[in-house]
Amino acid sequence: TAKFLSMIHGYLDTQKQMNAKYAEEDPGELLGNFDVGAEVTKPSYTQELQQLALTMEVLDQVTTENDNALATSTSSTEKVPVISEKTAKFLSMIHGYLDTRKQMDAKYADEDPGELLANFDVGAEVAKPSYTQELQQQSVDGKPVMSMSELYEAAELAKPVYEKIVQKLVDKVHAATDDDDDDDQVVFAPLKGAKRAEEKANDDYAQRVPGPGASWLFDIVRGSITFASTGELCKCMELLKEPDDEAEFVLVKAKNRFQNPTLSDYRDFNVCIQITVPNADGGSFQHICELQIHHIAIKSLSKELHSHHYYEFFRSYFDGATARLAERITDLEMIASGEKMDSEYLTTLVNTSNDEGRLTRLVDLFRDCLGEYELAIKACERLLEICKARPHEENEVPGYAYNQLGVTYQRMEKYDKALECYEKYKESLLSVSGYKDPQIATVCNNLGLLYDQDFGKYDEAFELYEKAEKLLGTEDPLLAAVYSNKSSIYQRRGDYDG
């Protein structure tokens, strides 16, 4: 019934939007007033529509009454946090994403039951190449490119050479497999946009040595092959991995995404080949180009399901960091567990779960990703209950949840509560393992930040930072943050030599 009533809302909203669109397109209602003639109308059908309209009006009233009743019943029991529209959309997208993954997995299983593509070994030397000077993009005079303009000058000359090489590769695949499928496709894209290339060089390769970042862009010249069979893909990869004597390329980089699918569960091979390009002086230079190799059934389903849409949607919530996104999506799969993720379900999950890993991830999702602090606090409190009930075991701290709760309160700017939680966490750590526990340094740093940034008590903060510094090893990544925090206090004091 609940699902039925929720569907009514969607129906009524759709109806409103359709009516508005018609009013916009035909303000004079010329179409609505067009008389098709009494002899071709069907009065009984019209009556059925009138009955449906009447029924929907009644159901609309029932839905409103149901919502009011639900709000009343909820207020009389434990309050269920109301999630924002942004969060509701986020949660609904999870289900669409997981459903897309299932369908993509099933399609791959149908097309490659023996997992020949997933098990294809591209070779360790190209799966993780060494980025030495030999792999830097070259200018037309054969030296490493030093600017974006030099890279594009070389790419213009390399593009037609690359296209001939790829077409020859496809012809060899067809000859070797006795297959010249009309569904196979070869597509050569325009040169990568200069703006996007500049961003990628700065974001991904600015720190790579030797530089500059532009010399590590391998996808300025790019194209794709789409094959209709698993056999053709395997043969293509064999020819790329072990080219014959007539080949005019060297495979320098390869990703087997049938083995490790993308975040949207897309599978293909993504490779880079180095080709020799003649220049105007009678010499030549090396240029690396990208080639994607698709399976037509998987590519078609991905397009039909808009799988990349889910990837782009979730990436916006995780600052575009794909490594972090992969980790988050794995967590979301565990959290969802096939259930409908609405406010009621999430509250029930929090209140009844005994899974510490799940609760920790819920805190992370609610607080860090969605800003749903009330739900985050509920998850923290449930986690705390579990921690308190757990026996003290070696390397386990019953009060771990206090830190999560403290961070949440700090985000909510409830600093007194945050301070109380951090202090309790510190006491809990000390009671179990004393100052030997490495987490003590983390707590001291968190407390220092609270005194420093939120209370303005710099002396107390500095003392805590120093305590954290003494507890940390020289290789601990937190040490750099502690030094930075101490430095900010020196600056506030005007002690620039500190």
Side-chain angles (χ1 to χ4, degrees):
T1 301
K3 183 176 180 181
F4 179 82
L5 295 174
S6 69
M7 289 294 287
I8 294 170
H9 280 296
Y11 170 82
L12 294 175
D13 181 62
T14 299
Q15 196 176 56
K16 287 179 183 177
Q17 292 190 53
M18 294 296 286
N19 286 338
K21 176 56 69 177
Y22 171 61
E24 178 184 334
E25 297 296 333
D26 185 15
E29 296 192 1
L30 297 177
L31 301 175
N33 292 324
F34 187 89
D35 182 11
V36 297
E39 66 281 2
V40 294
T41 59
K42 295 181 179 181
S44 60
Y45 185 65
T46 302
Q47 290 170 5
E48 290 175 9
L49 283 178
Q50 291 173 343
Q51 182 62 44
L52 176 60
L54 179 61
T55 303
M56 294 311 299
E57 288 180 12
V58 173
L59 288 173
D60 192 21
Q61 293 175 1
V62 171
T63 305
T64 303
E65 292 170 2
N66 182 71
D67 289 344
N68 293 336
L70 179 62
T72 303
S73 64
T74 301
S75 63
S76 62
T77 57
E78 182 182 2
K79 182 180 177 183
V80 177
V82 178
I83 59 177
S84 65
E85 287 185 19
K86 167 184 162 183
T87 300
K89 182 178 180 182
F90 182 87
L91 298 177
S92 70
M93 288 290 284
I94 292 173
H95 281 282
Y97 168 79
L98 295 178
D99 182 63
T100 296
R101 284 182 64 92
K102 287 180 183 178
Q103 293 191 56
M104 293 293 287
D105 286 341
K107 176 58 69 176
Y108 173 61
D110 287 344
E111 298 295 332
D112 186 17
E115 297 192 354
L116 297 176
L117 300 175
N119 292 323
F120 188 91
D121 182 12
V122 298
E125 68 280 2
V126 295
K128 293 183 178 180
S130 298
Y131 292 105
T132 58
Q133 186 173 342
E134 287 73 22
L135 290 188
Q136 279 187 288
Q137 293 286 36
Q138 295 181 358
S139 62
V140 294
D141 59 4
K143 298 178 181 178
V145 300
M146 299 307 293
S147 66
M148 199 64 72
S149 60
E150 286 187 358
L151 176 62
Y152 273 85
E153 181 185 10
E156 290 283 359
L157 293 178
K159 191 174 189 298
V161 177
Y162 164 78
E163 292 176 359
K164 288 180 182 178
I165 289 173
V166 171
Q167 190 59 61
K168 284 183 183 179
L169 175 65
V170 174
D171 293 341
K172 287 182 179 180
V173 170
H174 287 159
T177 57
D178 294 323
D179 192 348
D180 191 5
D181 201 307
D182 292 338
D183 290 333
D184 292 349
Q185 302 170 1
V186 181
V187 176
F188 299 113
L191 296 183
K192 189 182 189 76
K195 182 179 179 182
R196 179 69 188 99
E198 192 77 50
E199 291 173 352
K200 187 173 182 179
N202 292 333
D203 294 345
D204 297 349
Y205 307 125
Q207 303 304 316
R208 183 172 287 179
V209 177
S215 66
W216 298 107
L217 292 174
F218 296 163
D219 60 348
I220 303 301
V221 177
R222 58 222 170 115
S224 67
I225 309 170
T226 303
F227 289 115
S229 71
T230 297
E232 288 176 303
L233 269 86
C234 286
K235 176 52 66 175
C236 183
M237 287 304 299
E238 289 172 7
L239 291 173
L240 284 166
K241 184 179 178 182
E242 298 178 4
D244 56 32
D245 295 336
E246 297 177 359
E248 302 169 281
F249 61 84
V250 176
L251 182 66
V252 296
K253 185 178 180 182
K255 289 182 182 178
N256 184 348
R257 298 198 295 205
F258 289 95
Q259 187 177 86
N260 298 300
T262 67
L263 298 169
S264 54
D265 219 40
Y266 188 73
R267 293 167 168 84
D268 66 357
F269 288 109
N270 187 292
V271 306
C272 292
I273 57 174
Q274 189 176 58
I275 63 176
T276 300
V277 184
N279 61 23
D281 298 328
S284 64
F285 63 94
Q286 305 296 313
H287 195 85
I288 298 176
C289 314
E290 183 184 77
L291 178 63
Q292 293 178 316
I293 307 165
H294 306 287
H295 193 297
I296 194 168
I298 293 172
K299 184 178 180 180
S300 297
L301 180 61
S302 176
K303 186 176 181 180
E304 177 186 332
L305 296 176
H306 304 287
S307 64
H308 197 68
H309 166 66
Y310 291 105
Y311 167 70
E312 291 295 337
F313 177 84
F314 284 110
R315 188 173 69 167
S316 70
Y317 280 88
F318 301 111
D319 303 323
T322 53
R324 185 171 174 231
L325 178 56
E327 184 180 272
R328 299 292 188 182
I329 291 297
T330 302
D331 291 344
L332 292 177
E333 289 177 320
M334 183 196 72
I335 292 167
S337 299
E339 300 285 348
K340 180 181 178 183
M341 292 185 68
D342 57 11
S343 180
E344 184 176 354
Y345 165 71
L346 292 174
T347 303
T348 301
L349 187 149
V350 165
N351 289 339
T352 60
S353 178
N354 292 312
D355 187 329
E356 292 179 49
R358 169 172 288 179
L359 286 165
T360 300
R361 290 176 171 86
L362 279 172
V363 172
D364 190 59
L365 173 66
F366 296 147
R367 182 188 65 210
D368 298 341
C369 303
L370 300 175
E372 295 286 353
Y373 296 124
E374 289 186 31
L375 280 169
I377 286 175
K378 282 186 174 292
C380 287
E381 290 174 342
R382 177 60 184 158
L383 187 60
L384 188 57
E385 290 176 14
I386 296 171
C387 288
K388 284 182 175 180
R390 186 179 61 203
H392 288 220
E393 299 176 5
E394 187 176 357
N395 295 326
E396 287 194 326
V397 181
Y400 158 75
Y402 279 124
N403 188 55
Q404 295 290 333
L405 199 55
V407 172
T408 307
Y409 278 128
Q410 192 169 1
R411 297 276 180 85
M412 297 174 73
E413 300 183 357
K414 295 184 177 181
Y415 303 125
D416 290 332
K417 288 188 175 182
L419 178 61
E420 180 182 351
C421 291
Y422 286 143
E423 290 289 0
K424 285 183 178 179
Y425 183 39
K426 181 180 176 183
E427 291 171 11
S428 180
L429 288 168
L430 291 173
S431 69
V432 175
S433 53
Y435 279 98
K436 295 179 181 179
D437 195 304
Q439 291 300 316
I440 288 288
T442 301
V443 179
C444 288
N445 186 61
N446 286 349
L447 280 167
L449 287 169
L450 195 64
Y451 280 114
D452 180 359
Q453 298 176 2
D454 301 321
F455 290 133
K457 296 183 177 181
Y458 304 131
D459 291 340
E460 291 90 335
F462 192 83
E463 184 178 336
L464 286 160
Y465 292 148
E466 291 218 304
K467 188 172 291 186
E469 181 184 349
K470 291 176 182 178
L471 294 169
L472 292 171
T474 55
E475 301 299 321
D476 197 298
L478 182 60
L479 191 61
V482 172
Y483 284 148
S484 177
N485 295 336
K486 285 179 64 177
S487 176
S488 67
I489 291 181
Y490 280 127
Q491 288 180 330
R492 290 191 186 97
R493 289 173 172 173
D495 182 2
Y496 299 107
D497 295 327

